[in-house]
Amino acid sequence: MSSEVAARRDAKKLVRSPSGLRMVPEHRAYGSPFGLEEPPWVPDKECPRCMQCDTKFDFLTRKHHCRRCGKCFCDKCCGQKVALRRMCFVDPVRQCAGCAPVSRREADFYDRQLKLLLSGAAFLVTFGNSEKPDTMVCRLSSNQRFLLLDGDGDDHREIEVARIAAVQMLTEGLPPGDTLTHTSLPASRPVAEGGNARATGMTLQYTAPGVEGLVQLTLTAGEDAEGSRRQATAWLAAMHKAAKLLHESRDQ
């Protein structure tokens, strides 16, 4: 990738919307696949009462729009200002009692898991049905749009995150007789819910330009160094969270 292309991918601009200031990609095509579009606001004339507690709006009881869902509420039901990173807001914005907890949970992804994904981890990587894995460092690009895999020499590959169709977690330490739990975009659960099970790898299925059907990629945490394995396991857990956000973005 040339430095000019990389700079174009990462370029951002400050814009003002009815909801507040946003730092968005200079080019819409380079937006994060985890991002959410601002919702249309429910028109004032269609909202004479709070959509949560049914309080009637008047001179003293003002109406407020939740920046995440766009619905109309009174101050008591929509008085929290919470960071909304998925819509690129610079400052915390007003959100209703239903949306605020969701945004707080997502903030943990941006404050913790995203940093792990950007820093990367080493894996044994198997492409398709290949029998011999390659040792590669996998990380998320700075604009969150690509998984970057770097091996020895000039071995560099990119997978567009938006093209990932399914994710399966590979685990060990399940109780005797239990089955391996697969995690996918349509239905997923935190790795920690597997009790003593821990993530050892991940299988990704994605579409590639000019290729018919799904392409498969398997990442497996190595055994050579405990510190490296811990980093790889943490990266897998963060990628699991990212897959859930990706699925939620598609459902919006």
Side-chain angles (χ1 to χ4, degrees), residues 30-59:
Y30 295 139
S32 169
F34 307 119
L36 298 175
E37 294 291 335
E38 286 189 79
W41 284 8
V42 174
D44 287 348
K45 62 182 180 180
E46 296 179 11
C47 188
R49 296 177 177 272
C50 174
M51 300 179 76
Q52 176 65 38
C53 69
D54 203 38
T55 296
K56 184 177 181 180
F57 295 123
D58 54 27
F59 181 75

Short mmCIF file of all heavy atoms in Angstrom, two decimals, residues 30-59:
data_model
loop_
_atom_site.label_atom_id
_atom_site.label_comp_id
_atom_site.label_asym_id
_atom_site.label_seq_id
_atom_site.Cartn_x
_atom_site.Cartn_y
_atom_site.Cartn_z
N TYR A 30 -14.22 5.28 3.15
CA TYR A 30 -13.23 4.79 4.09
C TYR A 30 -13.73 4.83 5.53
O TYR A 30 -12.94 4.80 6.47
CB TYR A 30 -11.94 5.61 3.96
CG TYR A 30 -11.27 5.45 2.62
CD1 TYR A 30 -10.70 6.54 1.96
CD2 TYR A 30 -11.21 4.21 2.00
CE1 TYR A 30 -10.09 6.39 0.72
CE2 TYR A 30 -10.61 4.05 0.76
CZ TYR A 30 -10.05 5.14 0.13
OH TYR A 30 -9.44 4.99 -1.11
N GLY A 31 -15.02 4.90 5.73
CA GLY A 31 -15.59 4.91 7.07
C GLY A 31 -15.43 3.56 7.74
O GLY A 31 -15.32 2.52 7.10
N SER A 32 -15.45 3.55 9.07
CA SER A 32 -15.31 2.31 9.82
C SER A 32 -16.51 1.41 9.61
O SER A 32 -17.66 1.87 9.64
CB SER A 32 -15.17 2.62 11.32
OG SER A 32 -15.28 1.44 12.08
N PRO A 33 -16.30 0.10 9.42
CA PRO A 33 -17.43 -0.82 9.27
C PRO A 33 -18.22 -0.99 10.57
O PRO A 33 -19.33 -1.50 10.56
CB PRO A 33 -16.75 -2.14 8.86
CG PRO A 33 -15.37 -2.03 9.40
CD PRO A 33 -15.00 -0.58 9.28
N PHE A 34 -17.65 -0.54 11.69
CA PHE A 34 -18.34 -0.63 12.97
C PHE A 34 -19.20 0.60 13.24
O PHE A 34 -19.91 0.67 14.23
CB PHE A 34 -17.33 -0.77 14.12
CG PHE A 34 -16.36 -1.90 13.93
CD1 PHE A 34 -15.00 -1.65 13.85
CD2 PHE A 34 -16.80 -3.20 13.81
CE1 PHE A 34 -14.10 -2.68 13.66
CE2 PHE A 34 -15.91 -4.24 13.62
CZ PHE A 34 -14.56 -3.98 13.55
N GLY A 35 -19.12 1.58 12.36
CA GLY A 35 -19.82 2.83 12.59
C GLY A 35 -21.33 2.73 12.36
O GLY A 35 -21.83 1.82 11.70
N LEU A 36 -22.04 3.67 12.95
CA LEU A 36 -23.49 3.79 12.79
C LEU A 36 -23.81 5.16 12.22
O LEU A 36 -23.18 6.15 12.57
CB LEU A 36 -24.22 3.61 14.13
CG LEU A 36 -24.07 2.26 14.84
CD1 LEU A 36 -24.77 2.33 16.20
CD2 LEU A 36 -24.64 1.14 14.00
N GLU A 37 -24.81 5.20 11.37
CA GLU A 37 -25.27 6.48 10.82
C GLU A 37 -26.16 7.18 11.85
O GLU A 37 -26.84 6.53 12.65
CB GLU A 37 -26.05 6.26 9.53
CG GLU A 37 -25.22 5.71 8.38
CD GLU A 37 -24.22 6.71 7.86
OE1 GLU A 37 -24.46 7.93 8.03
OE2 GLU A 37 -23.19 6.28 7.30
N GLU A 38 -26.15 8.51 11.83
CA GLU A 38 -27.06 9.25 12.70
C GLU A 38 -28.50 8.93 12.31
O GLU A 38 -28.83 8.93 11.12
CB GLU A 38 -26.82 10.74 12.57
CG GLU A 38 -25.56 11.24 13.24
CD GLU A 38 -25.51 12.76 13.24
OE1 GLU A 38 -26.18 13.38 14.09
OE2 GLU A 38 -24.81 13.32 12.38
N PRO A 39 -29.36 8.69 13.29
CA PRO A 39 -30.76 8.36 12.95
C PRO A 39 -31.55 9.62 12.63
O PRO A 39 -31.22 10.72 13.11
CB PRO A 39 -31.27 7.73 14.25
CG PRO A 39 -30.51 8.47 15.32
CD PRO A 39 -29.12 8.67 14.74
N PRO A 40 -32.59 9.51 11.82
CA PRO A 40 -33.48 10.67 11.62
C PRO A 40 -34.24 10.93 12.91
O PRO A 40 -34.65 10.00 13.61
CB PRO A 40 -34.41 10.19 10.50
CG PRO A 40 -34.40 8.69 10.60
CD PRO A 40 -33.02 8.32 11.05
N TRP A 41 -34.42 12.20 13.26
CA TRP A 41 -35.16 12.54 14.47
C TRP A 41 -36.66 12.44 14.23
O TRP A 41 -37.16 12.82 13.16
CB TRP A 41 -34.82 13.96 14.90
CG TRP A 41 -33.47 14.09 15.56
CD1 TRP A 41 -32.52 13.14 15.67
CD2 TRP A 41 -32.96 15.25 16.20
NE1 TRP A 41 -31.43 13.62 16.32
CE2 TRP A 41 -31.67 14.91 16.67
CE3 TRP A 41 -33.45 16.53 16.43
CZ2 TRP A 41 -30.86 15.83 17.36
CZ3 TRP A 41 -32.66 17.45 17.11
CH2 TRP A 41 -31.40 17.10 17.58
N VAL A 42 -37.37 11.95 15.22
CA VAL A 42 -38.83 11.98 15.16
C VAL A 42 -39.26 13.45 15.12
O VAL A 42 -38.85 14.24 15.98
CB VAL A 42 -39.45 11.28 16.40
CG1 VAL A 42 -40.97 11.45 16.39
CG2 VAL A 42 -39.07 9.81 16.42
N PRO A 43 -40.03 13.88 14.14
CA PRO A 43 -40.44 15.28 14.04
C PRO A 43 -41.16 15.76 15.31
O PRO A 43 -41.95 15.01 15.90
CB PRO A 43 -41.38 15.30 12.83
CG PRO A 43 -40.95 14.11 12.01
CD PRO A 43 -40.55 13.07 13.01
N ASP A 44 -40.89 16.98 15.71
CA ASP A 44 -41.49 17.53 16.94
C ASP A 44 -43.02 17.45 16.91
O ASP A 44 -43.66 17.14 17.92
CB ASP A 44 -41.06 18.99 17.12
CG ASP A 44 -39.61 19.11 17.55
OD1 ASP A 44 -39.02 18.07 17.93
OD2 ASP A 44 -39.06 20.22 17.51
N LYS A 45 -43.61 17.72 15.74
CA LYS A 45 -45.06 17.74 15.65
C LYS A 45 -45.68 16.35 15.84
O LYS A 45 -46.88 16.24 16.12
CB LYS A 45 -45.50 18.33 14.32
CG LYS A 45 -45.05 17.52 13.09
CD LYS A 45 -45.50 18.20 11.81
CE LYS A 45 -45.06 17.40 10.58
NZ LYS A 45 -45.49 18.05 9.31
N GLU A 46 -44.88 15.31 15.66
CA GLU A 46 -45.37 13.95 15.84
C GLU A 46 -45.10 13.41 17.25
O GLU A 46 -45.37 12.24 17.53
CB GLU A 46 -44.72 13.02 14.81
CG GLU A 46 -45.06 13.35 13.37
CD GLU A 46 -44.38 12.41 12.39
OE1 GLU A 46 -43.82 11.39 12.85
OE2 GLU A 46 -44.42 12.70 11.17
N CYS A 47 -44.58 14.28 18.11
CA CYS A 47 -44.19 13.82 19.44
C CYS A 47 -44.68 14.79 20.52
O CYS A 47 -43.91 15.56 21.08
CB CYS A 47 -42.67 13.68 19.49
SG CYS A 47 -42.04 12.90 20.96
N PRO A 48 -45.99 14.76 20.86
CA PRO A 48 -46.51 15.65 21.90
C PRO A 48 -46.19 15.17 23.31
O PRO A 48 -46.29 15.94 24.27
CB PRO A 48 -48.03 15.62 21.65
CG PRO A 48 -48.26 14.26 21.07
CD PRO A 48 -47.06 13.96 20.22
N ARG A 49 -45.79 13.90 23.46
CA ARG A 49 -45.49 13.31 24.77
C ARG A 49 -44.17 12.55 24.74
O ARG A 49 -43.74 12.10 23.68
CB ARG A 49 -46.62 12.37 25.21
CG ARG A 49 -47.96 13.07 25.43
CD ARG A 49 -49.04 12.07 25.80
NE ARG A 49 -50.32 12.71 26.09
CZ ARG A 49 -50.66 13.17 27.29
NH1 ARG A 49 -49.85 13.01 28.32
NH2 ARG A 49 -51.83 13.75 27.47
N CYS A 50 -43.59 12.42 25.92
CA CYS A 50 -42.35 11.65 26.05
C CYS A 50 -42.61 10.21 25.61
O CYS A 50 -43.60 9.59 26.04
CB CYS A 50 -41.85 11.68 27.50
SG CYS A 50 -40.43 10.61 27.82
N MET A 51 -41.74 9.67 24.78
CA MET A 51 -41.93 8.33 24.26
C MET A 51 -41.50 7.24 25.25
O MET A 51 -41.57 6.06 24.93
CB MET A 51 -41.17 8.19 22.94
CG MET A 51 -41.63 9.18 21.87
SD MET A 51 -40.74 9.08 20.30
CE MET A 51 -41.47 7.58 19.61
N GLN A 52 -41.10 7.67 26.46
CA GLN A 52 -40.76 6.71 27.51
C GLN A 52 -41.80 6.74 28.65
O GLN A 52 -42.40 5.74 28.98
CB GLN A 52 -39.37 7.01 28.07
CG GLN A 52 -38.95 6.13 29.25
CD GLN A 52 -38.80 4.67 28.86
OE1 GLN A 52 -38.32 4.37 27.77
NE2 GLN A 52 -39.21 3.76 29.74
N CYS A 53 -42.02 7.92 29.23
CA CYS A 53 -42.90 8.01 30.40
C CYS A 53 -44.26 8.63 30.09
O CYS A 53 -45.11 8.72 30.98
CB CYS A 53 -42.21 8.80 31.52
SG CYS A 53 -42.00 10.56 31.15
N ASP A 54 -44.47 9.06 28.87
CA ASP A 54 -45.74 9.62 28.39
C ASP A 54 -46.06 10.99 28.99
O ASP A 54 -47.21 11.44 28.94
CB ASP A 54 -46.89 8.64 28.67
CG ASP A 54 -48.08 8.88 27.75
OD1 ASP A 54 -47.83 9.18 26.56
OD2 ASP A 54 -49.23 8.78 28.21
N THR A 55 -45.08 11.66 29.57
CA THR A 55 -45.30 13.00 30.08
C THR A 55 -45.56 13.96 28.92
O THR A 55 -44.88 13.91 27.89
CB THR A 55 -44.06 13.49 30.87
OG1 THR A 55 -43.88 12.66 32.01
CG2 THR A 55 -44.23 14.93 31.33
N LYS A 56 -46.55 14.83 29.10
CA LYS A 56 -46.89 15.78 28.05
C LYS A 56 -45.90 16.93 28.03
O LYS A 56 -45.53 17.48 29.07
CB LYS A 56 -48.31 16.33 28.26
CG LYS A 56 -48.78 17.26 27.14
CD LYS A 56 -50.21 17.72 27.37
CE LYS A 56 -50.67 18.62 26.23
NZ LYS A 56 -52.07 19.08 26.44
N PHE A 57 -45.45 17.29 26.84
CA PHE A 57 -44.50 18.39 26.71
C PHE A 57 -45.25 19.71 26.79
O PHE A 57 -46.35 19.87 26.25
CB PHE A 57 -43.75 18.30 25.38
CG PHE A 57 -42.86 17.09 25.27
CD1 PHE A 57 -43.03 16.19 24.23
CD2 PHE A 57 -41.87 16.85 26.21
CE1 PHE A 57 -42.21 15.08 24.11
CE2 PHE A 57 -41.06 15.74 26.11
CZ PHE A 57 -41.24 14.85 25.06
N ASP A 58 -44.65 20.67 27.49
CA ASP A 58 -45.20 22.02 27.56
C ASP A 58 -44.05 23.00 27.74
O ASP A 58 -42.88 22.65 27.51
CB ASP A 58 -46.23 22.13 28.70
CG ASP A 58 -45.67 21.69 30.05
OD1 ASP A 58 -44.44 21.79 30.24
OD2 ASP A 58 -46.45 21.23 30.90
N PHE A 59 -44.37 24.20 28.18
CA PHE A 59 -43.36 25.24 28.31
C PHE A 59 -42.27 24.84 29.31
O PHE A 59 -41.09 25.17 29.13
CB PHE A 59 -44.02 26.56 28.74
CG PHE A 59 -43.05 27.70 28.88
CD1 PHE A 59 -42.52 28.32 27.77
CD2 PHE A 59 -42.64 28.13 30.14
CE1 PHE A 59 -41.60 29.37 27.91
CE2 PHE A 59 -41.75 29.16 30.29
CZ PHE A 59 -41.21 29.78 29.16
#
